[in-house]
Amino acid sequence: MATTEKPQDALMKNYGDRLATLVRGKGCWVWDETGRKYLDLLSGIAVNLLGHCHPAVVEAIRAQSETLIHVSNLYHAPPQAMLAAKLAEISFGGRVFFGNSGAEANEAAIKLARRYMRAVKGEDRYAVITMENSFHGRTLATVTATGQKKYHQHFQPLVEGFAYAKFNDLQSVEALVDEKTAAVLVEPIQGEGGDNIARADFLRGLRTLCDERGLLLIYDEVQCGMGRTGRWFAYQHAGVEPDVMTLAKPLGGGLPLGACLARPEVAEALVPGSHASTFGGNPVSCAAGLAMIDYIEREDLLPRVMQLGALLSGLLDELAESCDCVVEERGVGLMRGIELDRPGKDIVTRCQEKGLLINCTAERFVRFLPPLTVTEEELRRGVQMLGEAIAEVAS
Ligand code: PLP
């Protein structure tokens, strides 16, 4: 490295200019390298479900990393199977494959769907219908699954076998089903798309369609899952179960971990040698995830998410009424934000200058993804800062 270069110059520029250099975190608060403190209501984009460095998670990481860090998937290590059993218990049962990220979890689900159709059902089906404005990851298959053209640019040829339907429009899904269709992949709440909520009747319609046509219904709960909406999984609000579900983001308590869950009959498709991941289900990540789930259960945080979500919704509604540029407030639980009539980037930048970390997605949706442990006071303070930022930037 030349002496004039900063260590950051050794990184690729795919993340653009980083917004700050953060060096320490505790609960809802983070500190930058100059010692400045920020209220973090973004949680590493829905990762830090219990806030920064929660003692229950820190202790689980410490204990597991002093005991066993990695063994490869040639062997069992207790935390992995324990976490799989716990996920099955709080969802729809079934079996679990662990990877390290949301993209890997979705990649596993797509491969599972293809293999299930061919190896288990003996049908040559491989295509997956996904939704416009969806987000499923950045590997070649999952970026293809992502129904947003901007993410496809310059990566063609994309992976064969994907088609995009309109979200919340059952007819548009039906119109795409043909003899090659294997699965429908949908986020019960589109996070990156701007907290677009799948209606219960849409999910019910998809369930019926998949049952009638012999397709797999796959939910991507990478962002909306694990308690963020006040239930363990967002689909539980509608009560419509999938055949396959993917998880990641908060699953490892802040450490990399992704999971693909499937009904036992579907899970049969992944026989020995058909799929794998060196680090998938790492004992330390799984122990951290188990500790996080245990804490949420012990402290009965899910009802609290509902209450705090209602508070946040009310605060954002008030903001919407007082600011002309706010089109609407929407979301579920602690996955919430406001849609603006203009790009939200400058407002988010102003928030950061004021000491609040949130973000803007889908260009005009400014969103909050606070930890489940956030206090009422922190939410009030965050919305107040957002209101001030809007008044300064957008008036
Ligand atoms: N699926 C959804 C719904 C997501 O929100 C994301 C990331 O934002 C992904 C998949 C990809 O996850 P990862 O970045 O861990 O690969």
Side-chain angles (χ1 to χ4, degrees):
M1 189 167 45
T3 48
T4 52
E5 285 176 13
K6 299 198 263 333
Q8 295 95 299
D9 293 336
L11 294 167
M12 288 200 193
K13 304 289 185 204
N14 58 309
Y15 296 110
D17 289 335
R18 308 294 174 106
L19 301 168
T21 300
L22 302 176
V23 294
R24 185 164 68 86
K26 191 79 201 147
C28 273
W29 298 88
V30 276
W31 286 259
D32 72 12
E33 58 187 343
T34 70
R36 177 146 194 232
K37 188 179 169 187
Y38 301 84
L39 175 58
D40 180 3
L41 299 185
L42 187 59
S43 309
I45 316 186
V47 168
N48 302 315
L49 210 53
L50 300 183
H52 291 279
C53 302
H54 191 281
V57 174
V58 170
E59 173 51 24
I61 292 172
R62 188 202 58 75
Q64 185 61 43
S65 60
E66 280 179 5
T67 311
L68 190 68
I69 292 180
H70 176 82
V71 287
S72 94
N73 283 308
L74 295 173
Y75 310 97
H76 270 305
Q80 189 184 109
M82 284 162 67
L83 181 58
K86 190 72 206 175
L87 291 175
E89 178 199 314
I90 61 177
S91 66
F92 52 90
R95 309 222 179 109
V96 184
F97 165 82
F98 286 110
N100 309 282
S101 66
E104 279 179 76
N106 285 325
E107 190 83 28
I110 294 162
K111 287 181 72 178
L112 174 64
R114 289 186 172 191
R115 222 174 180 285
Y116 172 70
M117 289 300 164
R118 283 161 171 159
V120 177
K121 290 183 74 180
E123 297 172 18
D124 186 28
R125 293 167 173 265
Y126 57 86
V128 179
I129 298 172
T130 70
M131 305 298 141
E132 291 175 4
N133 287 323
S134 58
F135 189 87
H136 298 296
R138 304 290 199 138
T139 61
L140 204 48
T142 60
V143 87
T144 308
T146 294
Q148 300 191 55
K149 283 210 168 61
K150 66 178 178 189
Y151 293 117
H152 297 167
Q153 213 187 1
H154 303 309
F155 292 121
Q156 291 84 358
L158 298 174
V159 175
E160 228 182 283
F162 289 89
Y164 313 103
K166 288 196 167 21
F167 190 65
N168 272 333
D169 180 342
L170 188 61
Q171 281 183 347
S172 113
V173 182
E174 280 166 351
L176 291 174
V177 176
D178 64 19
E179 72 285 354
K180 295 297 179 200
T181 310
V184 176
L185 168 60
V186 62
E187 293 156 88
I189 304 173
Q190 290 186 330
E192 299 307 296
D195 288 4
N196 305 315
I197 305 159
R199 291 194 318 270
D201 67 288
F202 179 60
L203 295 181
R204 271 196 299 276
L206 289 180
R207 183 68 273 171
T208 306
L209 176 70
C210 288
D211 290 343
E212 285 174 0
R213 304 293 292 265
L215 316 177
L216 294 177
L217 180 57
I218 308 173
Y219 289 159
D220 177 342
E221 293 233 12
V222 165
Q223 187 164 146
C224 59
M226 298 310 301
R228 173 149 297 285
T229 66
R231 300 258 176 132
W232 277 120
F233 304 104
Y235 79 81
Q236 291 168 336
H237 292 278
V240 182
E241 288 191 352
D243 301 297
V244 179
M245 177 170 71
T246 57
L247 302 171
K249 287 198 181 271
L251 183 61
L255 297 185
L257 188 62
C260 171
L261 286 73
R263 286 197 292 109
E265 183 214 335
V266 178
E268 291 290 313
L270 290 190
V271 297
S274 58
H275 195 54
S277 163
T278 294
F279 290 112
N282 169 271
V284 185
S285 305
C286 289
L290 276 167
M292 178 190 75
I293 293 173
D294 180 57
Y295 185 85
I296 292 172
E297 284 187 329
R298 239 183 318 128
E299 298 296 317
D300 203 18
L301 288 187
L302 297 184
R304 188 171 179 272
V305 173
M306 299 279 203
Q307 288 156 18
L308 290 173
L311 172 75
L312 181 57
S313 169
L315 293 170
L316 292 174
D317 262 338
E318 279 172 32
L319 190 69
E321 272 167 36
S322 62
C323 302
D324 289 346
C325 66
V326 181
V327 177
E328 68 165 356
E329 172 276 328
R330 66 172 176 268
V332 182
L334 289 175
M335 183 173 184
R336 239 168 234 292
I338 48 172
E339 185 179 323
L340 303 172
D341 66 359
R342 64 197 71 190
K345 190 168 178 276
D346 292 348
I347 291 170
V348 166
T349 304
R350 182 60 64 93
C351 284
Q352 185 174 326
E353 287 162 6
K354 290 176 160 298
L356 169 68
L357 304 187
I358 50 173
N359 109 319
C360 178
T361 188
E363 204 181 351
R364 293 187 292 126
F365 192 75
V366 173
R367 63 178 171 165
F368 289 77
L369 289 161
L372 275 45
T373 47
V374 68
T375 64
E376 288 192 10
E377 177 51 30
E378 285 161 341
L379 285 178
R380 287 184 199 282
R381 199 152 156 192
V383 175
Q384 188 192 342
M385 279 196 262
L386 172 60
E388 290 167 9
I390 291 176
E392 289 165 18
V393 173
S395 60

